[in-house]
Amino acid sequence: MASAETDQTEALFSLKSYHVSEELGFILPDPLEELPPYYQPWMDIALRIPELAQSHELRSRINKMPLLSSNFLQKHKELRLAHLALSMMTMGYVWEEGEKDTVEILPRSLAVPYWEVSQRLGLPPIITHADAVLANWKRKDPDGNLELLVSLPGGESARGFFLVTLLVELAGVPAVKNIPTVINGVRCGDTEAVARGLEIISRSIEDMTDALKLMQVHVDPSVFYGIMRIYLSGWKDNPCMPKGLVYEGVQTAPMRYSGGSAAQSSLLHCFDELLGVKHEPKSASFLIYMRDYMPPLHKKLINDISLQPSLRSFVQQQDRKDLNNVFDLCVKKLLALRSYHINVVSRFITVPAARARQLRDQNHNSDGEMISRAPTALEERGTGGSSIMSFLKTVRDQTKDTLLPEASREIKHHS
């Protein structure tokens, strides 16, 4: 009898093997603030990126940097801090002079250790959401106020952008914790557990939307568009760098990687797989490609959720009004989050892009307004490389299609 119970416990879906924290979800708990002293030359530059970029000294400082071995980085948290520091330095090096004076080669002293650390973590050698957000925070004081470890040009807006994104991740923790409750409830036919888990998930998604609303309080759209955004851009499908980037000492052929993107957050991927959101082929292929920019165990979690019995089919088979309602509530909250994200992108990208085009058409002095300094090649694109508005609207519409038939008709009738 005892062994049968043990077998059943082992069969339960759990977050334990995926590097997901009970308190912080996908966020790295208590990231290190310092690397071993041997790596001080990296940290000396990484902690001064905004000022070195502003004085146009960043590239020359990195060019003089010694080539250090990555072998003395042993622990996971050391590797994550190293990847964050090397990522920020790489973005600064490539984009210090804007889109008009990009580089073709990342110097050996940066490229080689960056490649080695990336290989050990299973992350690409470019900035990712896992670096800039999940592993880039510390507690500033006992009251729980947060601060960044490493920043990019953009002052308070850069700080606000990364920390608000972190708060969105934090708001999603109860949802992540309750994914196993829902999966195990479906497996065991426990409708009460499924309903309970979905209620918590829907509240958590609503809290994520509320956290995202802080973006307009803490980030200036003209600073984001005119200064910060280029530093999050990659060298794949980017007309500024059509060949990509050569990582000197790694391989002679250029490599292409996409920049940082909200699509690299594992949260929404987990919700999509749990709720059964079906994306059309173009959106689906971009989202699946973005999973290569996540820590491997987070990517594995998303895949493993996708292999579970269908929650949506379970809800339909039960044909219980309360269960239908709470499932649809979850989908509606996800829909509201995606709709608000479109609002944010409009405010921070579409509107400033139109203003920048207007200034160019009028031949205004390019120093007159910050947004006119923004890269023209990125006007209609996300930093991850997607044609941003059409992509987000398609994804939102496919979320709407996940509603159960009756609720779906209701929403269409009102919209």
XYZ file of all heavy atoms in Angstrom, residues 36-126:
749
model
N 34.118 36.520 -8.329
C 35.445 36.392 -7.704
C 36.383 37.507 -8.196
O 36.250 37.979 -9.330
C 35.916 35.012 -8.189
C 34.649 34.247 -8.442
C 33.661 35.251 -8.939
N 37.324 37.937 -7.342
C 38.183 39.094 -7.653
C 38.893 39.018 -9.020
O 39.139 40.050 -9.648
C 39.213 39.087 -6.507
C 38.532 38.371 -5.393
C 37.600 37.377 -6.011
N 39.202 37.808 -9.475
C 39.862 37.620 -10.779
C 39.085 38.318 -11.898
O 39.659 38.785 -12.879
C 39.980 36.109 -11.040
C 40.480 35.717 -12.414
C 41.831 35.848 -12.756
C 39.600 35.193 -13.368
C 42.285 35.474 -14.017
C 40.046 34.807 -14.624
C 41.391 34.947 -14.953
O 41.849 34.569 -16.193
N 37.752 38.389 -11.746
C 36.900 38.944 -12.805
C 36.583 40.432 -12.616
O 35.718 40.973 -13.279
C 35.579 38.139 -12.887
C 35.828 36.707 -13.271
C 35.788 35.694 -12.315
C 36.141 36.355 -14.584
C 36.040 34.372 -12.659
C 36.393 35.037 -14.939
C 36.347 34.054 -13.966
O 36.612 32.751 -14.317
N 37.342 41.092 -11.735
C 37.101 42.520 -11.489
C 37.175 43.369 -12.762
O 36.399 44.313 -12.917
C 38.076 43.047 -10.416
C 37.611 44.335 -9.741
C 36.228 44.227 -9.100
O 35.900 43.234 -8.460
N 35.386 45.234 -9.302
N 38.097 43.057 -13.709
C 38.124 43.860 -14.956
C 36.776 43.873 -15.690
O 36.421 44.879 -16.316
C 39.201 43.174 -15.799
C 40.119 42.529 -14.803
C 39.223 42.093 -13.676
N 36.020 42.774 -15.609
C 34.682 42.755 -16.229
C 33.735 43.677 -15.473
O 33.055 44.510 -16.072
C 34.079 41.338 -16.206
C 34.742 40.332 -17.076
C 35.743 40.547 -17.976
C 34.436 38.926 -17.126
N 36.093 39.351 -18.594
C 35.311 38.355 -18.087
C 33.533 38.111 -16.451
C 35.289 36.987 -18.390
C 33.506 36.755 -16.750
C 34.380 36.195 -17.722
N 33.699 43.508 -14.143
C 32.729 44.245 -13.337
C 33.040 45.749 -13.329
O 32.116 46.566 -13.277
C 32.666 43.694 -11.912
C 32.175 42.253 -11.814
S 30.606 41.929 -12.680
C 29.433 42.774 -11.635
N 34.328 46.105 -13.391
C 34.699 47.528 -13.422
C 34.045 48.240 -14.608
O 33.647 49.400 -14.509
C 36.227 47.696 -13.509
C 36.911 47.419 -12.174
O 36.205 47.391 -11.136
O 38.144 47.212 -12.168
N 33.956 47.532 -15.728
C 33.327 48.124 -16.924
C 31.809 47.960 -16.863
O 31.062 48.918 -17.116
C 33.897 47.482 -18.217
C 35.392 47.788 -18.336
C 33.142 47.980 -19.450
C 36.090 47.078 -19.476
N 31.344 46.767 -16.516
C 29.896 46.481 -16.537
C 29.108 47.433 -15.640
O 27.984 47.825 -15.980
C 29.646 45.033 -16.123
N 29.682 47.815 -14.508
C 28.967 48.678 -13.562
C 28.970 50.144 -13.993
O 28.318 50.981 -13.369
C 29.564 48.533 -12.153
C 29.395 47.139 -11.523
C 30.167 47.030 -10.223
C 27.917 46.809 -11.297
N 29.705 50.445 -15.087
C 29.793 51.852 -15.538
C 29.326 52.025 -16.986
O 29.660 53.012 -17.628
C 31.244 52.326 -15.402
C 31.756 52.396 -13.968
C 33.191 52.910 -13.927
N 33.305 54.231 -14.515
C 34.391 54.672 -15.155
N 35.452 53.884 -15.293
N 34.428 55.886 -15.667
N 28.548 51.077 -17.496
C 28.164 51.128 -18.916
C 27.486 52.445 -19.316
O 27.889 53.060 -20.311
C 27.305 49.899 -19.301
C 28.182 48.643 -19.317
C 26.634 50.078 -20.669
C 27.431 47.337 -19.383
N 26.469 52.933 -18.578
C 25.811 54.173 -19.021
C 26.773 55.348 -19.175
O 26.752 56.047 -20.195
C 24.763 54.433 -17.929
C 24.469 53.067 -17.383
C 25.786 52.350 -17.414
N 27.640 55.548 -18.157
C 28.543 56.715 -18.236
C 29.623 56.515 -19.308
O 29.978 57.465 -20.034
C 29.165 57.031 -16.871
C 30.019 55.913 -16.303
C 30.648 56.273 -14.961
O 31.672 56.976 -14.960
O 30.121 55.807 -13.934
N 30.129 55.284 -19.462
C 31.157 55.034 -20.483
C 30.578 55.150 -21.893
O 31.257 55.621 -22.810
C 31.793 53.653 -20.289
C 32.667 53.481 -19.044
C 33.073 52.017 -18.855
C 33.911 54.370 -19.124
N 29.328 54.750 -22.055
C 28.680 54.888 -23.372
C 28.449 56.363 -23.683
O 28.674 56.819 -24.817
C 27.364 54.127 -23.401
N 28.028 57.112 -22.671
C 27.749 58.541 -22.884
C 29.018 59.302 -23.265
O 28.983 60.207 -24.101
C 27.133 59.144 -21.617
C 26.560 60.530 -21.850
C 25.807 61.067 -20.651
O 25.772 60.453 -19.584
N 25.178 62.219 -20.802
N 30.156 58.921 -22.670
C 31.425 59.609 -22.982
C 32.157 58.951 -24.157
O 33.295 59.298 -24.451
C 32.322 59.639 -21.739
O 32.613 58.309 -21.321
N 31.494 57.974 -24.794
C 32.053 57.268 -25.972
C 33.388 56.588 -25.662
O 34.270 56.515 -26.505
C 32.215 58.235 -27.168
C 30.923 58.889 -27.556
N 30.032 58.313 -28.428
C 30.358 60.062 -27.155
C 28.973 59.105 -28.561
N 29.141 60.173 -27.794
N 33.510 56.070 -24.448
C 34.752 55.382 -24.035
C 34.573 53.875 -23.894
O 35.542 53.167 -23.636
C 35.222 55.922 -22.674
C 35.643 57.368 -22.648
C 35.950 57.801 -21.214
O 37.096 57.585 -20.777
O 35.030 58.315 -20.545
N 33.327 53.393 -24.043
C 33.055 51.987 -23.733
C 33.814 51.038 -24.648
O 34.450 50.082 -24.185
C 31.548 51.715 -23.801
C 31.075 50.333 -23.362
C 31.510 50.014 -21.935
C 29.548 50.222 -23.467
N 33.764 51.297 -25.952
C 34.465 50.396 -26.882
C 35.965 50.368 -26.601
O 36.577 49.292 -26.589
C 34.218 50.838 -28.336
C 32.863 50.413 -28.863
C 32.685 50.786 -30.321
N 31.322 50.523 -30.762
C 30.797 50.970 -31.890
N 31.529 51.722 -32.715
N 29.554 50.688 -32.219
N 36.554 51.536 -26.380
C 38.013 51.554 -26.153
C 38.369 50.828 -24.852
O 39.384 50.125 -24.783
C 38.556 52.982 -26.155
O 37.954 53.730 -25.133
N 37.526 50.957 -23.818
C 37.793 50.257 -22.556
C 37.704 48.737 -22.757
O 38.526 47.974 -22.238
C 36.786 50.693 -21.481
C 37.039 52.065 -20.895
C 38.281 52.113 -20.004
N 38.194 51.200 -18.874
C 37.690 51.516 -17.684
N 37.224 52.745 -17.461
N 37.661 50.645 -16.711
N 36.701 48.301 -23.511
C 36.541 46.856 -23.746
C 37.673 46.336 -24.632
O 38.179 45.222 -24.411
C 35.145 46.561 -24.355
C 34.075 46.745 -23.266
C 35.070 45.145 -24.931
C 32.635 46.695 -23.747
N 38.093 47.132 -25.597
C 39.216 46.715 -26.467
C 40.499 46.482 -25.669
O 41.349 45.687 -26.075
C 39.463 47.751 -27.566
C 38.397 47.703 -28.650
O 37.797 46.655 -28.888
N 38.145 48.832 -29.310
N 40.641 47.178 -24.541
C 41.862 47.035 -23.705
C 41.697 45.967 -22.615
O 42.616 45.727 -21.830
C 42.178 48.375 -23.024
C 42.583 49.487 -23.993
C 42.739 50.798 -23.228
C 42.803 51.974 -24.199
N 42.426 53.241 -23.560
N 40.517 45.364 -22.552
C 40.225 44.409 -21.474
C 41.062 43.136 -21.638
O 41.217 42.640 -22.765
C 38.732 44.064 -21.548
C 38.109 43.534 -20.301
S 36.291 43.526 -20.449
C 36.040 42.187 -21.625
N 41.600 42.565 -20.547
C 42.373 41.318 -20.679
C 41.452 40.129 -21.008
O 40.270 40.149 -20.656
C 43.003 41.131 -19.292
C 42.090 41.868 -18.358
C 41.538 43.026 -19.142
N 42.009 39.142 -21.694
C 41.253 37.908 -21.967
C 41.323 37.032 -20.708
O 42.400 36.569 -20.332
C 41.846 37.170 -23.168
C 41.253 35.791 -23.485
C 39.766 35.868 -23.760
C 41.970 35.151 -24.675
N 40.187 36.836 -20.053
C 40.137 36.054 -18.810
C 39.528 34.682 -19.071
O 38.631 34.533 -19.892
C 39.295 36.789 -17.755
C 39.741 38.214 -17.369
C 38.779 38.802 -16.336
C 41.169 38.226 -16.829
N 40.008 33.690 -18.337
C 39.438 32.343 -18.438
C 38.110 32.294 -17.681
O 37.987 32.883 -16.606
C 40.407 31.328 -17.836
O 39.732 30.104 -17.610
N 37.153 31.577 -18.233
C 35.866 31.436 -17.523
C 35.875 30.244 -16.563
O 34.882 29.964 -15.897
C 34.726 31.265 -18.542
O 34.916 30.071 -19.278
N 37.007 29.549 -16.465
C 37.070 28.308 -15.679
C 36.885 28.509 -14.182
O 36.585 27.560 -13.458
C 38.411 27.586 -15.909
C 38.518 27.069 -17.329
O 37.494 26.940 -18.015
N 39.730 26.807 -17.787
N 37.101 29.731 -13.695
C 36.984 29.968 -12.248
C 35.550 30.294 -11.836
O 35.289 30.568 -10.674
C 37.942 31.085 -11.812
C 39.366 30.820 -12.220
C 39.989 31.613 -13.175
C 40.080 29.746 -11.683
C 41.290 31.352 -13.583
C 41.380 29.485 -12.079
C 41.995 30.289 -13.030
N 34.645 30.308 -12.805
C 33.220 30.479 -12.493
C 32.649 29.086 -12.266
O 32.587 28.280 -13.187
C 32.498 31.166 -13.658
C 32.990 32.575 -14.007
C 32.513 32.977 -15.385
C 32.520 33.587 -12.948
N 32.267 28.781 -11.038
C 31.842 27.418 -10.705
C 30.343 27.293 -10.487
O 29.705 26.397 -11.005
C 32.581 26.931 -9.452
C 34.096 26.878 -9.608
C 34.560 25.910 -10.695
O 33.867 24.945 -11.010
N 35.708 26.176 -11.291
N 29.782 28.212 -9.708
C 28.380 28.071 -9.297
C 27.439 28.673 -10.339
O 27.816 29.575 -11.082
C 28.165 28.751 -7.942
C 29.039 28.183 -6.827
C 28.744 28.886 -5.508
C 29.592 28.342 -4.382
N 30.995 28.788 -4.440
N 26.191 28.185 -10.334
C 25.171 28.678 -11.274
C 25.013 30.195 -11.161
O 24.962 30.900 -12.177
C 23.828 27.982 -11.005
C 22.725 28.459 -11.900
N 22.626 28.087 -13.229
C 21.675 29.297 -11.669
C 21.564 28.673 -13.775
N 20.973 29.404 -12.851
N 24.963 30.706 -9.941
C 24.756 32.151 -9.765
C 25.947 32.973 -10.242
O 25.789 34.104 -10.695
C 24.428 32.474 -8.297
C 23.012 32.067 -7.913
C 22.663 32.528 -6.509
C 21.244 32.121 -6.137
N 20.881 32.563 -4.777
N 27.152 32.408 -10.145
C 28.330 33.096 -10.702
C 28.208 33.191 -12.221
O 28.473 34.238 -12.817
C 29.612 32.335 -10.332
C 30.005 32.468 -8.874
C 31.240 31.649 -8.513
O 31.652 30.781 -9.294
O 31.791 31.890 -7.425
N 27.795 32.090 -12.834
C 27.634 32.076 -14.294
C 26.555 33.066 -14.734
O 26.705 33.746 -15.753
C 27.293 30.661 -14.777
C 28.424 29.636 -14.687
C 27.885 28.221 -14.841
C 29.493 29.905 -15.762
N 25.472 33.150 -13.951
C 24.378 34.067 -14.324
C 24.828 35.534 -14.231
O 24.498 36.346 -15.100
C 23.149 33.827 -13.437
C 22.426 32.513 -13.679
C 21.707 32.442 -15.010
N 20.538 33.299 -15.112
C 19.306 32.968 -14.743
N 19.064 31.767 -14.228
N 18.301 33.823 -14.888
N 25.588 35.871 -13.175
C 26.082 37.251 -13.063
C 27.088 37.547 -14.171
O 27.081 38.635 -14.757
C 26.692 37.499 -11.681
C 27.294 38.903 -11.453
C 26.272 40.011 -11.730
C 27.852 39.038 -10.033
N 27.947 36.578 -14.467
C 28.925 36.756 -15.556
C 28.186 36.969 -16.887
O 28.540 37.863 -17.666
C 29.845 35.539 -15.647
N 27.148 36.175 -17.140
C 26.394 36.306 -18.394
C 25.703 37.667 -18.477
O 25.701 38.310 -19.534
C 25.363 35.174 -18.528
C 24.894 34.936 -19.933
N 23.815 35.587 -20.475
C 25.384 34.139 -20.923
C 23.649 35.188 -21.741
N 24.587 34.318 -22.026
N 25.164 38.126 -17.349
C 24.537 39.446 -17.302
C 25.557 40.542 -17.619
O 25.313 41.414 -18.469
C 23.919 39.677 -15.914
C 23.468 41.103 -15.583
C 22.318 41.546 -16.492
C 23.044 41.210 -14.110
N 26.713 40.501 -16.937
C 27.742 41.536 -17.133
C 28.263 41.523 -18.576
O 28.377 42.579 -19.217
C 28.898 41.320 -16.147
N 28.556 40.334 -19.096
C 29.085 40.227 -20.463
C 28.025 40.612 -21.502
O 28.345 41.190 -22.550
C 29.611 38.805 -20.709
C 30.810 38.390 -19.841
C 31.015 36.869 -19.884
C 32.089 39.102 -20.260
N 26.752 40.306 -21.208
C 25.652 40.691 -22.095
C 25.540 42.204 -22.191
O 25.433 42.771 -23.287
C 24.314 40.146 -21.584
O 24.261 38.751 -21.657
N 25.515 42.857 -21.039
C 25.375 44.315 -21.016
C 26.564 44.982 -21.715
O 26.402 45.948 -22.458
C 25.254 44.812 -19.570
C 23.982 44.357 -18.862
S 22.489 45.127 -19.545
C 21.430 45.206 -18.103
N 27.778 44.444 -21.490
C 28.960 45.003 -22.158
C 28.866 44.824 -23.671
O 29.220 45.715 -24.441
C 30.239 44.332 -21.632
C 30.696 44.863 -20.305
S 32.364 44.291 -19.914
C 32.042 42.720 -19.183
N 28.376 43.664 -24.096
C 28.256 43.387 -25.532
C 27.267 44.341 -26.181
O 27.541 44.914 -27.252
C 27.824 41.921 -25.764
O 28.868 41.065 -25.270
C 27.575 41.624 -27.227
N 26.091 44.545 -25.555
C 25.098 45.468 -26.124
C 25.661 46.885 -26.189
O 25.466 47.602 -27.168
C 23.795 45.440 -25.309
C 23.140 44.064 -25.162
S 23.111 43.030 -26.631
C 21.656 43.645 -27.487
N 26.365 47.265 -25.140
C 26.979 48.597 -25.122
C 28.032 48.743 -26.208
O 28.107 49.775 -26.892
N 28.850 47.714 -26.370
C 29.934 47.748 -27.371
C 29.359 47.880 -28.783
O 29.821 48.693 -29.589
C 30.770 46.467 -27.264
C 32.033 46.492 -28.107
C 33.224 46.994 -27.589
C 32.038 46.023 -29.420
C 34.388 47.030 -28.351
C 33.188 46.057 -30.197
C 34.357 46.566 -29.658
O 35.499 46.604 -30.428
N 28.349 47.076 -29.079
C 27.779 47.062 -30.435
C 27.058 48.369 -30.755
O 27.190 48.908 -31.853
C 26.818 45.856 -30.603
C 26.033 45.953 -31.905
C 27.592 44.541 -30.552
N 26.297 48.913 -29.789
C 25.380 50.021 -30.091
C 25.827 51.377 -29.555
O 25.067 52.351 -29.670
C 23.986 49.697 -29.563
C 23.378 48.479 -30.190
C 23.037 47.311 -29.582
C 23.028 48.296 -31.576
N 22.508 46.415 -30.476
C 22.486 46.995 -31.722
C 23.124 49.111 -32.726
C 22.044 46.487 -32.944
C 22.682 48.608 -33.942
C 22.150 47.322 -34.047
N 27.036 51.477 -29.000
C 27.475 52.747 -28.401
C 27.305 53.934 -29.345
O 26.919 55.024 -28.935
C 28.950 52.628 -27.982
C 29.484 53.891 -27.324
C 30.969 53.771 -26.960
O 31.809 53.675 -27.880
O 31.257 53.751 -25.767
N 27.590 53.731 -30.632
C 27.523 54.842 -31.601
C 26.241 54.817 -32.434
O 26.164 55.448 -33.485
C 28.758 54.815 -32.518
C 30.092 54.892 -31.787
C 30.248 56.175 -30.959
O 29.658 57.205 -31.342
O 30.941 56.143 -29.922
N 25.240 54.068 -31.988
C 23.960 54.042 -32.697
C 24.003 53.177 -33.949
O 24.934 52.418 -34.185
N 22.977 53.336 -34.789
C 22.846 52.456 -35.967
C 23.809 52.830 -37.093
O 24.041 52.044 -38.004
C 21.408 52.465 -36.492
C 20.954 53.773 -37.090
C 19.543 53.719 -37.670
O 19.087 52.636 -38.058
O 18.909 54.784 -37.737
N 24.376 54.053 -37.039
C 25.222 54.510 -38.151
C 26.642 53.958 -38.070
O 27.361 53.912 -39.053
C 25.284 56.051 -38.166
C 23.932 56.733 -38.353
C 23.428 56.612 -39.790
C 22.196 57.456 -40.040
N 20.959 56.875 -39.508
N 27.075 53.577 -36.877
C 28.466 53.117 -36.722
C 28.485 51.841 -35.871
O 28.977 51.824 -34.750
C 29.306 54.228 -36.066
C 30.780 53.822 -35.928
O 31.196 52.873 -36.621
O 31.482 54.438 -35.102
N 27.912 50.775 -36.435
C 27.912 49.498 -35.716
C 29.255 48.806 -35.950
O 30.073 49.255 -36.749
C 26.772 48.586 -36.211
O 26.881 48.460 -37.622
C 25.420 49.160 -35.854
N 29.473 47.706 -35.259
C 30.721 46.955 -35.416
C 30.413 45.626 -36.107
O 29.274 45.173 -36.121
C 31.397 46.690 -34.050
C 31.840 47.985 -33.409
C 30.466 45.928 -33.115
N 31.441 45.036 -36.678
C 31.259 43.717 -37.302
C 31.873 42.610 -36.463
O 31.556 41.444 -36.635
C 31.877 43.717 -38.710
C 31.115 44.615 -39.669
C 31.643 44.546 -41.091
O 32.619 43.789 -41.332
O 31.081 45.241 -41.949
N 32.782 43.015 -35.546
C 33.518 42.011 -34.752
C 33.430 42.353 -33.270
O 33.684 43.491 -32.867
C 35.004 41.955 -35.188
C 35.103 41.548 -36.661
C 35.793 40.985 -34.314
C 36.499 41.651 -37.238
N 33.067 41.364 -32.458
C 33.125 41.496 -31.006
C 34.512 41.014 -30.577
O 34.906 39.887 -30.907
C 32.039 40.629 -30.357
C 31.722 40.917 -28.886
C 31.084 42.295 -28.723
C 30.797 39.842 -28.313
N 35.299 41.849 -29.876
C 36.696 41.477 -29.588
C 36.810 40.204 -28.747
O 35.950 39.917 -27.907
C 37.257 42.691 -28.853
C 36.073 43.446 -28.374
C 34.944 43.155 -29.321
N 37.893 39.496 -28.992
C 38.169 38.196 -28.364
C 38.023 38.221 -26.840
O 37.461 37.301 -26.250
C 39.593 37.805 -28.750
C 40.083 36.460 -28.278
C 41.568 36.296 -28.642
N 41.763 36.487 -30.071
C 41.736 35.512 -30.981
N 41.531 34.273 -30.598
N 41.924 35.773 -32.255
N 38.509 39.287 -26.194
C 38.504 39.340 -24.721
C 37.081 39.355 -24.156
O 36.861 38.986 -23.004
C 39.258 40.570 -24.224
O 38.663 41.745 -24.751
N 36.114 39.752 -24.977
C 34.709 39.713 -24.579
C 34.016 38.489 -25.186
O 33.286 37.762 -24.514
C 34.024 41.006 -25.051
C 32.547 41.228 -24.750
C 32.220 40.963 -23.283
C 32.143 42.657 -25.113
N 34.286 38.237 -26.463
C 33.565 37.179 -27.197
C 33.837 35.778 -26.656
O 32.906 34.976 -26.498
C 33.929 37.245 -28.679
N 35.098 35.459 -26.356
C 35.449 34.079 -25.962
C 34.829 33.703 -24.609
O 34.122 32.694 -24.510
C 36.983 33.855 -25.985
C 37.354 32.516 -25.360
C 37.491 33.921 -27.431
N 35.059 34.499 -23.535
C 34.431 34.105 -22.265
C 32.899 34.159 -22.342
O 32.212 33.335 -21.730
C 34.959 35.114 -21.243
C 35.536 36.241 -22.030
C 35.944 35.672 -23.351
N 32.367 35.099 -23.119
C 30.908 35.217 -23.258
C 30.338 33.955 -23.908
O 29.334 33.399 -23.450
C 30.595 36.451 -24.106
C 29.155 36.894 -24.113
C 28.258 36.521 -23.109
C 28.685 37.740 -25.120
C 26.939 36.957 -23.123
C 27.373 38.180 -25.141
C 26.501 37.798 -24.144
O 25.197 38.230 -24.163
N 31.009 33.482 -24.928
C 30.578 32.244 -25.600
C 30.641 31.058 -24.637
O 29.716 30.255 -24.554
C 31.448 31.993 -26.828
C 31.124 30.714 -27.533
C 31.779 29.518 -27.439
C 30.025 30.486 -28.429
N 31.172 28.567 -28.217
C 30.089 29.130 -28.846
C 28.998 31.295 -28.923
C 29.171 28.571 -29.724
C 28.083 30.734 -29.807
C 28.173 29.396 -30.190
N 31.759 30.968 -23.882
C 31.939 29.835 -22.953
C 30.870 29.833 -21.858
O 30.282 28.787 -21.551
C 33.338 29.899 -22.320
C 34.463 29.594 -23.303
C 35.854 29.895 -22.745
O 35.958 30.462 -21.621
O 36.834 29.591 -23.445
N 30.612 30.998 -21.281
C 29.598 31.101 -20.222
C 28.214 30.779 -20.789
O 27.419 30.074 -20.161
C 29.625 32.517 -19.583
C 28.421 32.735 -18.674
C 30.920 32.715 -18.793
N 27.948 31.268 -21.992
C 26.654 30.999 -22.647
C 26.449 29.506 -22.870
O 25.364 28.967 -22.604
C 26.568 31.738 -23.985
O 26.659 33.127 -23.800
N 27.493 28.829 -23.323
C 27.415 27.386 -23.576
C 27.125 26.621 -22.285
O 26.331 25.684 -22.266
C 28.726 26.878 -24.191
C 28.992 27.370 -25.604
C 27.990 26.835 -26.610
O 27.117 27.536 -27.087
N 28.100 25.559 -26.935
N 27.762 27.050 -21.209
C 27.559 26.349 -19.931
C 26.151 26.561 -19.377
O 25.586 25.687 -18.738
C 28.613 26.809 -18.912
C 30.001 26.225 -19.227
C 31.086 26.848 -18.388
N 30.998 26.482 -16.972
C 31.794 26.983 -16.029
N 32.731 27.866 -16.357
N 31.663 26.606 -14.768
N 25.558 27.716 -19.658
C 24.206 28.006 -19.159
C 23.115 27.547 -20.125
O 21.940 27.487 -19.756
C 24.041 29.515 -18.921
C 24.727 30.102 -17.687
C 24.670 31.621 -17.719
C 24.077 29.581 -16.401
N 23.489 27.274 -21.373
C 22.479 26.947 -22.377
C 21.711 28.173 -22.846
O 20.565 28.086 -23.280
N 22.346 29.355 -22.721
C 21.751 30.611 -23.187
C 22.534 31.129 -24.393
O 23.707 30.802 -24.554
C 21.787 31.667 -22.074
C 20.827 31.468 -20.893
C 21.143 32.456 -19.781
C 19.374 31.617 -21.337
N 21.915 31.963 -25.243
C 22.660 32.517 -26.383
C 23.593 33.642 -25.937
O 23.372 34.246 -24.878
C 21.544 33.063 -27.287
C 20.445 33.399 -26.351
C 20.513 32.413 -25.218
N 24.626 33.954 -26.737
C 25.549 35.041 -26.376
C 24.990 36.405 -26.803
O 25.544 37.095 -27.667
C 26.831 34.672 -27.137
C 26.341 33.935 -28.341
C 25.077 33.239 -27.945
N 23.882 36.767 -26.228
C 23.249 38.086 -26.418
C 22.370 38.319 -25.199
O 22.029 37.366 -24.482
C 22.429 38.126 -27.734
C 22.021 39.577 -28.063
C 21.196 37.211 -27.661
C 21.483 39.759 -29.478
